[in-house]
Amino acid sequence: MKDFSFNLSTRIEFGKGYVTKAGEIIKEFGAQKVIVITDKGLIKAGIVAKVTDSLQASGVEYIIYDGVQPNPKDVDCIAAGDMAREYGADFVVAIGGGSSMDTAKAVAALITNPVALPEIMKPYKVPIAPAPLLCVPTTAGTGSEVTSFAVITLTEEQRKSCMFDDKLRPEIALIDPELLLGVPGPIIASTGIDALTHAIEAYTCKLATPITDAFALHAIRYIGRSLRTLMYERTYESAEEMMMASLMAGIAFGFSDIASVHALAEAIGGYYDTPHGVANSIFLPVVFEYDIPANVEKHKDVALALDIDPVGKSDREIAQAAVEWIETLSKDVGIPTLKELGYIEPERFEQFADVCMINVSTPSNARAVDKQAYIDLFKKTYKK
Ligand code: NAD
């Protein structure tokens, strides 16, 4: 067993209708001025009002920044950070998926650190504790409500980069599974497989620990039995299990790591703005298959957690069956293939492989990957 630290400082509040508790929780912190970080779609969907009504009812003053874009951009973090500083915000609320939560983490850090964004866009480079952050996740995907990362797109460089520091972990994750019931089908699909990717990479990567394994395997079980139900039947129970899976997968990868699926996904996401969950879903089966030889046992465990029938199969065959299981799930929920995206230029695979090689999570992948291996993974995925 390897040595490790595990300190989940985030308070988790999880339950039906809990979104209306935001005001009373924030009041406990003695916050005077709150900045709400979100996007226009979530305002239109009526989700932001549920939180702001609760702030009003508790007498908490607030302003709203609604300029978050998918694959959040550095320029928007800077604009929101300037708005927060001018307003004198002392507390941050994120409402949305990973894009809103990651923008909010950058804003919380910019409120207390009198520097420009590039100075804190480096590992362990948030010197002063950020303003307290409460996250209301509205997708079951990223788990950002409990992680110490923020993935931000550097617009000039056309690549995604990461700020990470334990101080970035949100104070509170306020999780209301009911918010998932109105999410459009394609977003449920891609964010759900994103959560599955987090759980699988956390479990199979080199930095996994027994604690992260427990969270990851449980998340895989929940997703295996609930993603299709949420997609097609919209039951509250499936929303509950998917929100819990996303949270547990976030805890798992937050204390172990992600790996090569993310390196590939972020390379094309940074360049083409491909939605993060879609990109992860596309690369997951190919990387899973590539990784099996490095750790058959753990890949078999994933298959068993997905409830794949092991009877009459060798360990290797059980693990391999998970590849087909994931591919079928992707087709069933309408994930496009890499080629079907329609804008991928295979002549850039070498350039993207270079980006993968500098991804901080590449060394964690279960099986060693070099530039040629990444090029081959791009080519193999493109043929599917
Ligand atoms: P997202 O936040 O980009 O949201 C995608 C779209 O879904 C948006 O248009 C949003 O308006 C819409 N949406 C969200 N919730 C909705 C709801 N309840 N109803 C209707 N529409 C809704 O998507 P995401 O997949 O949650 O986040 C992806 C981002 O998170 C990527 O940038 C990725 O790199 C990052 N990420 C961060 C971490 C972390 O730990 N910080 C982990 C994984 C991924």
mmCIF file of all heavy atoms in Angstrom, residues 337-381:
data_model
loop_
_atom_site.group_PDB
_atom_site.id
_atom_site.type_symbol
_atom_site.label_atom_id
_atom_site.label_comp_id
_atom_site.label_asym_id
_atom_site.label_seq_id
_atom_site.Cartn_x
_atom_site.Cartn_y
_atom_site.Cartn_z
ATOM 1 N N THR A 337 -19.024 9.657 -32.582
ATOM 2 C CA THR A 337 -17.638 9.171 -32.658
ATOM 3 C C THR A 337 -16.735 10.380 -32.922
ATOM 4 O O THR A 337 -17.223 11.473 -33.264
ATOM 5 C CB THR A 337 -17.469 8.168 -33.811
ATOM 6 O OG1 THR A 337 -17.727 8.870 -35.044
ATOM 7 C CG2 THR A 337 -18.419 6.986 -33.674
ATOM 8 N N LEU A 338 -15.428 10.150 -32.822
ATOM 9 C CA LEU A 338 -14.484 11.251 -33.063
ATOM 10 C C LEU A 338 -14.683 11.802 -34.474
ATOM 11 O O LEU A 338 -14.710 13.015 -34.684
ATOM 12 C CB LEU A 338 -13.041 10.733 -32.876
ATOM 13 C CG LEU A 338 -11.922 11.769 -32.887
ATOM 14 C CD1 LEU A 338 -12.100 12.816 -31.802
ATOM 15 C CD2 LEU A 338 -10.548 11.099 -32.726
ATOM 16 N N LYS A 339 -14.846 10.889 -35.437
ATOM 17 C CA LYS A 339 -15.020 11.320 -36.828
ATOM 18 C C LYS A 339 -16.345 12.074 -36.994
ATOM 19 O O LYS A 339 -16.403 13.086 -37.689
ATOM 20 C CB LYS A 339 -14.986 10.104 -37.748
ATOM 21 C CG LYS A 339 -14.731 10.468 -39.193
ATOM 22 C CD LYS A 339 -14.652 9.252 -40.082
ATOM 23 C CE LYS A 339 -13.235 8.722 -40.189
ATOM 24 N NZ LYS A 339 -13.146 7.461 -40.893
ATOM 25 N N GLU A 340 -17.375 11.590 -36.333
ATOM 26 C CA GLU A 340 -18.693 12.231 -36.471
ATOM 27 C C GLU A 340 -18.717 13.665 -35.933
ATOM 28 O O GLU A 340 -19.623 14.436 -36.250
ATOM 29 C CB GLU A 340 -19.770 11.399 -35.746
ATOM 30 C CG GLU A 340 -20.222 10.187 -36.555
ATOM 31 C CD GLU A 340 -21.067 9.196 -35.736
ATOM 32 O OE1 GLU A 340 -21.241 9.379 -34.515
ATOM 33 O OE2 GLU A 340 -21.527 8.225 -36.338
ATOM 34 N N LEU A 341 -17.726 14.033 -35.107
ATOM 35 C CA LEU A 341 -17.702 15.432 -34.646
ATOM 36 C C LEU A 341 -17.624 16.362 -35.854
ATOM 37 O O LEU A 341 -18.106 17.486 -35.828
ATOM 38 C CB LEU A 341 -16.516 15.678 -33.707
ATOM 39 C CG LEU A 341 -16.571 15.024 -32.328
ATOM 40 C CD1 LEU A 341 -15.287 15.312 -31.551
ATOM 41 C CD2 LEU A 341 -17.775 15.519 -31.518
ATOM 42 N N GLY A 342 -16.939 15.870 -36.909
ATOM 43 C CA GLY A 342 -16.962 16.593 -38.181
ATOM 44 C C GLY A 342 -15.888 17.658 -38.351
ATOM 45 O O GLY A 342 -15.761 18.220 -39.433
ATOM 46 N N TYR A 343 -15.146 17.958 -37.304
ATOM 47 C CA TYR A 343 -14.154 19.034 -37.442
ATOM 48 C C TYR A 343 -12.731 18.589 -37.078
ATOM 49 O O TYR A 343 -11.808 19.391 -37.088
ATOM 50 C CB TYR A 343 -14.548 20.249 -36.590
ATOM 51 C CG TYR A 343 -14.934 19.908 -35.150
ATOM 52 C CD1 TYR A 343 -13.988 19.479 -34.230
ATOM 53 C CD2 TYR A 343 -16.256 20.036 -34.724
ATOM 54 C CE1 TYR A 343 -14.349 19.173 -32.924
ATOM 55 C CE2 TYR A 343 -16.623 19.734 -33.425
ATOM 56 C CZ TYR A 343 -15.667 19.296 -32.527
ATOM 57 O OH TYR A 343 -16.023 18.989 -31.247
ATOM 58 N N ILE A 344 -12.580 17.316 -36.745
ATOM 59 C CA ILE A 344 -11.252 16.852 -36.318
ATOM 60 C C ILE A 344 -10.333 16.713 -37.540
ATOM 61 O O ILE A 344 -10.726 16.133 -38.558
ATOM 62 C CB ILE A 344 -11.373 15.498 -35.583
ATOM 63 C CG1 ILE A 344 -12.283 15.607 -34.363
ATOM 64 C CG2 ILE A 344 -9.993 14.930 -35.208
ATOM 65 C CD1 ILE A 344 -11.754 16.419 -33.200
ATOM 66 N N GLU A 345 -9.117 17.235 -37.440
ATOM 67 C CA GLU A 345 -8.161 17.161 -38.546
ATOM 68 C C GLU A 345 -7.069 16.160 -38.168
ATOM 69 O O GLU A 345 -6.202 16.475 -37.353
ATOM 70 C CB GLU A 345 -7.526 18.541 -38.777
ATOM 71 C CG GLU A 345 -8.540 19.639 -39.052
ATOM 72 C CD GLU A 345 -8.102 20.990 -38.491
ATOM 73 O OE1 GLU A 345 -8.134 21.158 -37.254
ATOM 74 O OE2 GLU A 345 -7.705 21.850 -39.282
ATOM 75 N N PRO A 346 -7.110 14.946 -38.763
ATOM 76 C CA PRO A 346 -6.139 13.915 -38.373
ATOM 77 C C PRO A 346 -4.681 14.374 -38.529
ATOM 78 O O PRO A 346 -3.802 13.900 -37.804
ATOM 79 C CB PRO A 346 -6.454 12.751 -39.322
ATOM 80 C CG PRO A 346 -7.866 12.962 -39.720
ATOM 81 C CD PRO A 346 -8.085 14.442 -39.742
ATOM 82 N N GLU A 347 -4.435 15.324 -39.438
ATOM 83 C CA GLU A 347 -3.052 15.794 -39.609
ATOM 84 C C GLU A 347 -2.544 16.532 -38.358
ATOM 85 O O GLU A 347 -1.355 16.805 -38.234
ATOM 86 C CB GLU A 347 -2.913 16.662 -40.871
ATOM 87 C CG GLU A 347 -3.742 17.930 -40.928
ATOM 88 C CD GLU A 347 -5.186 17.712 -41.423
ATOM 89 O OE1 GLU A 347 -5.672 16.559 -41.413
ATOM 90 O OE2 GLU A 347 -5.834 18.719 -41.767
ATOM 91 N N ARG A 348 -3.437 16.829 -37.426
ATOM 92 C CA ARG A 348 -3.001 17.494 -36.183
ATOM 93 C C ARG A 348 -2.732 16.501 -35.044
ATOM 94 O O ARG A 348 -2.420 16.914 -33.920
ATOM 95 C CB ARG A 348 -4.075 18.489 -35.709
ATOM 96 C CG ARG A 348 -4.228 19.680 -36.605
ATOM 97 C CD ARG A 348 -4.974 20.808 -35.909
ATOM 98 N NE ARG A 348 -5.268 21.861 -36.843
ATOM 99 C CZ ARG A 348 -4.417 22.849 -37.139
ATOM 100 N NH1 ARG A 348 -3.252 22.925 -36.528
ATOM 101 N NH2 ARG A 348 -4.753 23.759 -38.021
ATOM 102 N N PHE A 349 -2.887 15.195 -35.292
ATOM 103 C CA PHE A 349 -2.737 14.239 -34.192
ATOM 104 C C PHE A 349 -1.354 14.328 -33.539
ATOM 105 O O PHE A 349 -1.217 14.182 -32.329
ATOM 106 C CB PHE A 349 -3.016 12.805 -34.677
ATOM 107 C CG PHE A 349 -4.489 12.538 -34.931
ATOM 108 C CD1 PHE A 349 -4.891 11.421 -35.675
ATOM 109 C CD2 PHE A 349 -5.477 13.383 -34.449
ATOM 110 C CE1 PHE A 349 -6.248 11.170 -35.915
ATOM 111 C CE2 PHE A 349 -6.836 13.147 -34.683
ATOM 112 C CZ PHE A 349 -7.218 12.044 -35.414
ATOM 113 N N GLU A 350 -0.331 14.595 -34.346
ATOM 114 C CA GLU A 350 1.015 14.695 -33.769
ATOM 115 C C GLU A 350 1.112 15.915 -32.835
ATOM 116 O O GLU A 350 1.632 15.823 -31.718
ATOM 117 C CB GLU A 350 2.036 14.794 -34.893
ATOM 118 C CG GLU A 350 3.411 14.479 -34.379
ATOM 119 C CD GLU A 350 4.459 14.406 -35.469
ATOM 120 O OE1 GLU A 350 4.132 14.073 -36.623
ATOM 121 O OE2 GLU A 350 5.623 14.682 -35.123
ATOM 122 N N GLN A 351 0.538 17.022 -33.305
ATOM 123 C CA GLN A 351 0.510 18.253 -32.485
ATOM 124 C C GLN A 351 -0.270 17.993 -31.176
ATOM 125 O O GLN A 351 0.181 18.381 -30.084
ATOM 126 C CB GLN A 351 -0.177 19.335 -33.334
ATOM 127 C CG GLN A 351 -0.577 20.598 -32.616
ATOM 128 C CD GLN A 351 -1.571 21.423 -33.469
ATOM 129 O OE1 GLN A 351 -1.624 21.315 -34.700
ATOM 130 N NE2 GLN A 351 -2.363 22.253 -32.799
ATOM 131 N N PHE A 352 -1.409 17.294 -31.280
ATOM 132 C CA PHE A 352 -2.199 17.011 -30.073
ATOM 133 C C PHE A 352 -1.447 16.051 -29.148
ATOM 134 O O PHE A 352 -1.546 16.152 -27.920
ATOM 135 C CB PHE A 352 -3.563 16.419 -30.436
ATOM 136 C CG PHE A 352 -4.459 17.344 -31.217
ATOM 137 C CD1 PHE A 352 -5.401 16.841 -32.109
ATOM 138 C CD2 PHE A 352 -4.363 18.723 -31.068
ATOM 139 C CE1 PHE A 352 -6.229 17.694 -32.830
ATOM 140 C CE2 PHE A 352 -5.182 19.583 -31.797
ATOM 141 C CZ PHE A 352 -6.121 19.064 -32.686
ATOM 142 N N ALA A 353 -0.687 15.123 -29.750
ATOM 143 C CA ALA A 353 0.077 14.174 -28.927
ATOM 144 C C ALA A 353 1.119 14.929 -28.091
ATOM 145 O O ALA A 353 1.379 14.575 -26.933
ATOM 146 C CB ALA A 353 0.746 13.128 -29.815
ATOM 147 N N ASP A 354 1.690 15.985 -28.662
ATOM 148 C CA ASP A 354 2.638 16.805 -27.887
ATOM 149 C C ASP A 354 1.931 17.441 -26.688
ATOM 150 O O ASP A 354 2.483 17.529 -25.593
ATOM 151 C CB ASP A 354 3.220 17.925 -28.769
ATOM 152 C CG ASP A 354 4.291 17.402 -29.725
ATOM 153 O OD1 ASP A 354 4.995 16.440 -29.348
ATOM 154 O OD2 ASP A 354 4.406 17.945 -30.846
ATOM 155 N N VAL A 355 0.691 17.897 -26.915
ATOM 156 C CA VAL A 355 -0.074 18.517 -25.818
ATOM 157 C C VAL A 355 -0.360 17.462 -24.747
ATOM 158 O O VAL A 355 -0.248 17.723 -23.540
ATOM 159 C CB VAL A 355 -1.397 19.136 -26.358
ATOM 160 C CG1 VAL A 355 -2.241 19.694 -25.222
ATOM 161 C CG2 VAL A 355 -1.106 20.219 -27.392
ATOM 162 N N CYS A 356 -0.690 16.239 -25.186
ATOM 163 C CA CYS A 356 -0.952 15.153 -24.222
ATOM 164 C C CYS A 356 0.286 14.877 -23.366
ATOM 165 O O CYS A 356 0.185 14.595 -22.166
ATOM 166 C CB CYS A 356 -1.322 13.858 -24.947
ATOM 167 S SG CYS A 356 -2.906 13.907 -25.778
ATOM 168 N N MET A 357 1.452 14.948 -24.003
ATOM 169 C CA MET A 357 2.682 14.602 -23.280
ATOM 170 C C MET A 357 2.985 15.597 -22.156
ATOM 171 O O MET A 357 3.652 15.234 -21.186
ATOM 172 C CB MET A 357 3.878 14.511 -24.248
ATOM 173 C CG MET A 357 3.859 13.288 -25.149
ATOM 174 S SD MET A 357 3.712 11.722 -24.263
ATOM 175 C CE MET A 357 5.278 11.637 -23.417
ATOM 176 N N ILE A 358 2.494 16.847 -22.284
ATOM 177 C CA ILE A 358 2.758 17.791 -21.179
ATOM 178 C C ILE A 358 1.587 17.850 -20.193
ATOM 179 O O ILE A 358 1.605 18.625 -19.237
ATOM 180 C CB ILE A 358 3.126 19.222 -21.678
ATOM 181 C CG1 ILE A 358 2.032 19.786 -22.594
ATOM 182 C CG2 ILE A 358 4.483 19.238 -22.356
ATOM 183 C CD1 ILE A 358 2.167 21.294 -22.839
ATOM 184 N N ASN A 359 0.586 17.014 -20.418
ATOM 185 C CA ASN A 359 -0.530 16.973 -19.464
ATOM 186 C C ASN A 359 -0.012 16.395 -18.139
ATOM 187 O O ASN A 359 0.640 15.339 -18.123
ATOM 188 C CB ASN A 359 -1.667 16.095 -20.034
ATOM 189 C CG ASN A 359 -2.934 16.200 -19.211
ATOM 190 O OD1 ASN A 359 -2.942 15.865 -18.029
ATOM 191 N ND2 ASN A 359 -3.999 16.673 -19.819
ATOM 192 N N VAL A 360 -0.322 17.068 -17.040
ATOM 193 C CA VAL A 360 0.234 16.648 -15.739
ATOM 194 C C VAL A 360 -0.211 15.239 -15.325
ATOM 195 O O VAL A 360 0.428 14.602 -14.487
ATOM 196 C CB VAL A 360 -0.132 17.620 -14.586
ATOM 197 C CG1 VAL A 360 0.661 18.899 -14.684
ATOM 198 C CG2 VAL A 360 -1.629 17.914 -14.531
ATOM 199 N N SER A 361 -1.305 14.751 -15.925
ATOM 200 C CA SER A 361 -1.808 13.442 -15.510
ATOM 201 C C SER A 361 -1.279 12.295 -16.378
ATOM 202 O O SER A 361 -1.542 11.125 -16.066
ATOM 203 C CB SER A 361 -3.339 13.445 -15.529
ATOM 204 O OG SER A 361 -3.811 14.339 -14.553
ATOM 205 N N THR A 362 -0.538 12.600 -17.427
ATOM 206 C CA THR A 362 -0.005 11.523 -18.280
ATOM 207 C C THR A 362 0.837 10.511 -17.489
ATOM 208 O O THR A 362 0.668 9.296 -17.665
ATOM 209 C CB THR A 362 0.779 12.134 -19.474
ATOM 210 O OG1 THR A 362 -0.195 12.568 -20.436
ATOM 211 C CG2 THR A 362 1.703 11.136 -20.142
ATOM 212 N N PRO A 363 1.711 10.947 -16.582
ATOM 213 C CA PRO A 363 2.515 9.943 -15.860
ATOM 214 C C PRO A 363 1.684 9.013 -14.973
ATOM 215 O O PRO A 363 2.168 7.957 -14.564
ATOM 216 C CB PRO A 363 3.470 10.798 -14.999
ATOM 217 C CG PRO A 363 3.468 12.142 -15.632
ATOM 218 C CD PRO A 363 2.106 12.324 -16.240
ATOM 219 N N SER A 364 0.447 9.396 -14.677
ATOM 220 C CA SER A 364 -0.381 8.563 -13.792
ATOM 221 C C SER A 364 -1.082 7.428 -14.523
ATOM 222 O O SER A 364 -1.679 6.558 -13.892
ATOM 223 C CB SER A 364 -1.467 9.427 -13.136
ATOM 224 O OG SER A 364 -0.888 10.441 -12.382
ATOM 225 N N ASN A 365 -1.065 7.451 -15.853
ATOM 226 C CA ASN A 365 -1.836 6.431 -16.577
ATOM 227 C C ASN A 365 -1.369 5.022 -16.206
ATOM 228 O O ASN A 365 -0.177 4.780 -16.002
ATOM 229 C CB ASN A 365 -1.712 6.650 -18.093
ATOM 230 C CG ASN A 365 -2.777 5.899 -18.847
ATOM 231 O OD1 ASN A 365 -3.976 6.118 -18.627
ATOM 232 N ND2 ASN A 365 -2.383 4.977 -19.705
ATOM 233 N N ALA A 366 -2.316 4.089 -16.158
ATOM 234 C CA ALA A 366 -1.991 2.718 -15.737
ATOM 235 C C ALA A 366 -0.839 2.133 -16.558
ATOM 236 O O ALA A 366 0.053 1.475 -16.031
ATOM 237 C CB ALA A 366 -3.237 1.843 -15.875
ATOM 238 N N ARG A 367 -0.888 2.385 -17.861
ATOM 239 C CA ARG A 367 0.169 1.871 -18.740
ATOM 240 C C ARG A 367 0.963 3.048 -19.284
ATOM 241 O O ARG A 367 0.385 4.090 -19.616
ATOM 242 C CB ARG A 367 -0.495 1.094 -19.890
ATOM 243 C CG ARG A 367 0.474 0.489 -20.867
ATOM 244 C CD ARG A 367 -0.285 -0.417 -21.840
ATOM 245 N NE ARG A 367 0.516 -0.751 -22.987
ATOM 246 C CZ ARG A 367 0.049 -1.381 -24.066
ATOM 247 N NH1 ARG A 367 -1.223 -1.746 -24.113
ATOM 248 N NH2 ARG A 367 0.837 -1.653 -25.080
ATOM 249 N N ALA A 368 2.270 2.887 -19.388
ATOM 250 C CA ALA A 368 3.094 4.004 -19.865
ATOM 251 C C ALA A 368 2.628 4.442 -21.256
ATOM 252 O O ALA A 368 2.250 3.611 -22.080
ATOM 253 C CB ALA A 368 4.551 3.559 -19.917
ATOM 254 N N VAL A 369 2.638 5.749 -21.472
ATOM 255 C CA VAL A 369 2.257 6.290 -22.785
ATOM 256 C C VAL A 369 3.339 7.241 -23.247
ATOM 257 O O VAL A 369 3.728 8.134 -22.496
ATOM 258 C CB VAL A 369 0.952 7.145 -22.750
ATOM 259 C CG1 VAL A 369 -0.123 6.591 -23.627
ATOM 260 C CG2 VAL A 369 0.460 7.420 -21.366
ATOM 261 N N ASP A 370 3.792 7.068 -24.493
ATOM 262 C CA ASP A 370 4.712 8.061 -25.073
ATOM 263 C C ASP A 370 3.995 8.741 -26.236
ATOM 264 O O ASP A 370 2.817 8.465 -26.504
ATOM 265 C CB ASP A 370 6.040 7.409 -25.498
ATOM 266 C CG ASP A 370 5.828 6.278 -26.500
ATOM 267 O OD1 ASP A 370 4.717 6.186 -27.073
ATOM 268 O OD2 ASP A 370 6.760 5.475 -26.704
ATOM 269 N N LYS A 371 4.717 9.612 -26.903
ATOM 270 C CA LYS A 371 4.066 10.405 -27.967
ATOM 271 C C LYS A 371 3.469 9.490 -29.039
ATOM 272 O O LYS A 371 2.333 9.696 -29.483
ATOM 273 C CB LYS A 371 5.102 11.362 -28.575
ATOM 274 C CG LYS A 371 4.493 12.270 -29.612
ATOM 275 C CD LYS A 371 5.495 13.272 -30.148
ATOM 276 C CE LYS A 371 4.881 13.982 -31.351
ATOM 277 N NZ LYS A 371 5.798 14.921 -31.973
ATOM 278 N N GLN A 372 4.237 8.461 -29.447
ATOM 279 C CA GLN A 372 3.732 7.563 -30.498
ATOM 280 C C GLN A 372 2.467 6.835 -30.036
ATOM 281 O O GLN A 372 1.517 6.669 -30.806
ATOM 282 C CB GLN A 372 4.822 6.556 -30.904
ATOM 283 C CG GLN A 372 4.457 5.731 -32.142
ATOM 284 C CD GLN A 372 4.093 6.605 -33.363
ATOM 285 O OE1 GLN A 372 4.829 7.536 -33.720
ATOM 286 N NE2 GLN A 372 2.938 6.344 -33.991
ATOM 287 N N ALA A 373 2.461 6.448 -28.756
ATOM 288 C CA ALA A 373 1.262 5.757 -28.245
ATOM 289 C C ALA A 373 0.049 6.684 -28.321
ATOM 290 O O ALA A 373 -1.058 6.255 -28.676
ATOM 291 C CB ALA A 373 1.494 5.290 -26.812
ATOM 292 N N TYR A 374 0.253 7.971 -27.996
ATOM 293 C CA TYR A 374 -0.869 8.918 -28.094
ATOM 294 C C TYR A 374 -1.332 9.071 -29.546
ATOM 295 O O TYR A 374 -2.532 9.102 -29.821
ATOM 296 C CB TYR A 374 -0.484 10.286 -27.520
ATOM 297 C CG TYR A 374 -0.739 10.399 -26.027
ATOM 298 C CD1 TYR A 374 0.273 10.776 -25.137
ATOM 299 C CD2 TYR A 374 -2.006 10.148 -25.489
ATOM 300 C CE1 TYR A 374 0.036 10.881 -23.771
ATOM 301 C CE2 TYR A 374 -2.248 10.257 -24.122
ATOM 302 C CZ TYR A 374 -1.224 10.628 -23.271
ATOM 303 O OH TYR A 374 -1.463 10.730 -21.921
ATOM 304 N N ILE A 375 -0.372 9.153 -30.476
ATOM 305 C CA ILE A 375 -0.767 9.278 -31.893
ATOM 306 C C ILE A 375 -1.592 8.045 -32.279
ATOM 307 O O ILE A 375 -2.647 8.163 -32.924
ATOM 308 C CB ILE A 375 0.482 9.423 -32.801
ATOM 309 C CG1 ILE A 375 1.192 10.748 -32.500
ATOM 310 C CG2 ILE A 375 0.107 9.333 -34.281
ATOM 311 C CD1 ILE A 375 2.533 10.933 -33.187
ATOM 312 N N ASP A 376 -1.134 6.867 -31.861
ATOM 313 C CA ASP A 376 -1.859 5.630 -32.202
ATOM 314 C C ASP A 376 -3.259 5.625 -31.581
ATOM 315 O O ASP A 376 -4.215 5.165 -32.198
ATOM 316 C CB ASP A 376 -1.067 4.398 -31.731
ATOM 317 C CG ASP A 376 0.241 4.241 -32.500
ATOM 318 O OD1 ASP A 376 0.384 4.878 -33.578
ATOM 319 O OD2 ASP A 376 1.132 3.501 -32.030
ATOM 320 N N LEU A 377 -3.376 6.141 -30.343
ATOM 321 C CA LEU A 377 -4.693 6.185 -29.703
ATOM 322 C C LEU A 377 -5.638 7.135 -30.457
ATOM 323 O O LEU A 377 -6.818 6.827 -30.648
ATOM 324 C CB LEU A 377 -4.562 6.613 -28.225
ATOM 325 C CG LEU A 377 -3.968 5.545 -27.290
ATOM 326 C CD1 LEU A 377 -3.543 6.157 -25.953
ATOM 327 C CD2 LEU A 377 -4.957 4.402 -27.045
ATOM 328 N N PHE A 378 -5.092 8.281 -30.892
ATOM 329 C CA PHE A 378 -5.917 9.191 -31.716
ATOM 330 C C PHE A 378 -6.375 8.489 -32.982
ATOM 331 O O PHE A 378 -7.548 8.532 -33.352
ATOM 332 C CB PHE A 378 -5.115 10.447 -32.105
ATOM 333 C CG PHE A 378 -5.146 11.542 -31.076
ATOM 334 C CD1 PHE A 378 -3.978 11.992 -30.468
ATOM 335 C CD2 PHE A 378 -6.344 12.160 -30.725
ATOM 336 C CE1 PHE A 378 -4.001 13.010 -29.527
ATOM 337 C CE2 PHE A 378 -6.377 13.179 -29.786
ATOM 338 C CZ PHE A 378 -5.206 13.602 -29.180
ATOM 339 N N LYS A 379 -5.427 7.795 -33.662
ATOM 340 C CA LYS A 379 -5.759 7.156 -34.950
ATOM 341 C C LYS A 379 -6.786 6.045 -34.748
ATOM 342 O O LYS A 379 -7.741 5.916 -35.507
ATOM 343 C CB LYS A 379 -4.490 6.563 -35.588
ATOM 344 C CG LYS A 379 -3.584 7.626 -36.200
ATOM 345 C CD LYS A 379 -2.415 6.957 -36.896
ATOM 346 C CE LYS A 379 -1.500 7.973 -37.544
ATOM 347 N NZ LYS A 379 -0.204 7.399 -37.891
ATOM 348 N N LYS A 380 -6.577 5.252 -33.711
ATOM 349 C CA LYS A 380 -7.489 4.130 -33.464
ATOM 350 C C LYS A 380 -8.904 4.655 -33.164
ATOM 351 O O LYS A 380 -9.895 4.116 -33.654
ATOM 352 C CB LYS A 380 -6.953 3.312 -32.268
ATOM 353 C CG LYS A 380 -7.666 2.010 -32.094
ATOM 354 C CD LYS A 380 -6.976 1.093 -31.114
ATOM 355 C CE LYS A 380 -7.805 -0.193 -31.003
ATOM 356 N NZ LYS A 380 -7.380 -1.034 -29.923
ATOM 357 N N THR A 381 -8.984 5.710 -32.368
ATOM 358 C CA THR A 381 -10.295 6.276 -32.023
ATOM 359 C C THR A 381 -10.960 6.846 -33.272
ATOM 360 O O THR A 381 -12.173 6.720 -33.455
ATOM 361 C CB THR A 381 -10.139 7.391 -30.959
ATOM 362 O OG1 THR A 381 -9.313 6.904 -29.908
ATOM 363 C CG2 THR A 381 -11.475 7.807 -30.385
#
